[in-house]
Amino acid sequence: MKLLSLVLLATGWGAPVEVRVDDEVCATYDARLAGDQLVVRVRLGKGWKTFAMDNAVRAVEALKGKKALSADMPTKVTVGEGLTVTGPWKQTPPTDFSKPELRIFTWGYEAEAVFVAPVKREGAVGKVGVKGQACTPSICKNIDVKLDVGLSAGPVEGAPLELVRTP
């Protein structure tokens, strides 16, 4: 266990939390602070998808007043003691998984995504909560995890991010 802790400390990420369905890992979540930015990462198992923070807002826009036949839960991140979000969330630009002919509108991720927000750190950093959903074509798993936040001096890395839409 100490070796794992040292590796995580070196990479700056908190301990990863796996979400499983039977023996299969559908999603792995972890979090870190990169300067004044909170970074929450999800890595998805093969065949699994998860959904954008603004999935519901995007669906309402696409439906143009019509009723949806199905809705996937958006990803929601909450911060615990020691952190205060000070600005808007950003996310990896999501992929459009919509099926307009079925009035199903949904956006999300396969493989990996990050959710980032500016934060103010106040003392010891506690936990970050993530709620959402991960799905294959035949099954969905509700997500409700608590993450330890790792500390990192490095910047937020990866592809450009976009602002999360708000109603």
Side-chain angles (χ1 to χ4, degrees):
M1 184 65 175
K2 284 189 177 191
L3 179 59
L4 176 61
S5 296
L6 289 174
V7 170
L8 292 171
L9 200 69
T11 63
W13 291 96
V17 175
E18 292 181 342
V19 178
R20 295 179 168 269
V21 173
D22 299 323
D23 291 336
E24 184 178 0
V25 176
C26 59
T28 302
Y29 291 86
D30 51 10
R32 72 180 176 109
L33 286 179
D36 66 349
Q37 302 287 309
L38 170 64
V39 183
V40 177
R41 176 175 65 178
V42 58
R43 290 168 288 159
L44 296 150
K46 186 175 180 174
W48 288 89
K49 297 176 184 174
T50 196
F51 305 99
M53 291 181 88
D54 53 8
N55 198 44
V57 173
R58 290 171 184 263
V60 167
E61 290 171 0
L63 285 162
K64 298 177 183 161
K66 294 181 182 173
K67 228 172 168 41
L69 297 181
S70 173
D72 294 305
M73 289 175 48
T75 298
K76 181 178 181 182
V77 179
T78 55
V79 298
E81 282 186 48
L83 291 175
T84 302
V85 175
T86 61
W89 281 94
K90 293 182 180 179
Q91 63 189 350
T92 302
T95 299
D96 187 347
F97 299 133
S98 299
K99 297 177 184 169
E101 68 281 3
L102 300 176
R103 275 202 334 250
I104 297 172
F105 293 94
T106 193
W107 290 260
Y109 310 100
E110 298 173 299
E112 185 173 321
V114 296
F115 307 99
V116 179
V119 292
K120 179 180 177 190
R121 184 175 168 191
E122 301 159 345
V125 177
K127 302 272 186 182
V128 172
V130 180
K131 289 188 177 190
Q133 190 176 51
C135 298
T136 68
S138 60
I139 187 173
C140 286
K141 172 75 175 170
N142 287 336
I143 306 294
D144 187 1
V145 297
K146 300 283 186 229
L147 308 173
D148 291 317
V149 179
L151 302 177
S152 170
V156 177
E157 303 155 356
L161 302 172
E162 68 178 36
L163 284 173
V164 172
R165 297 179 189 182
T166 56

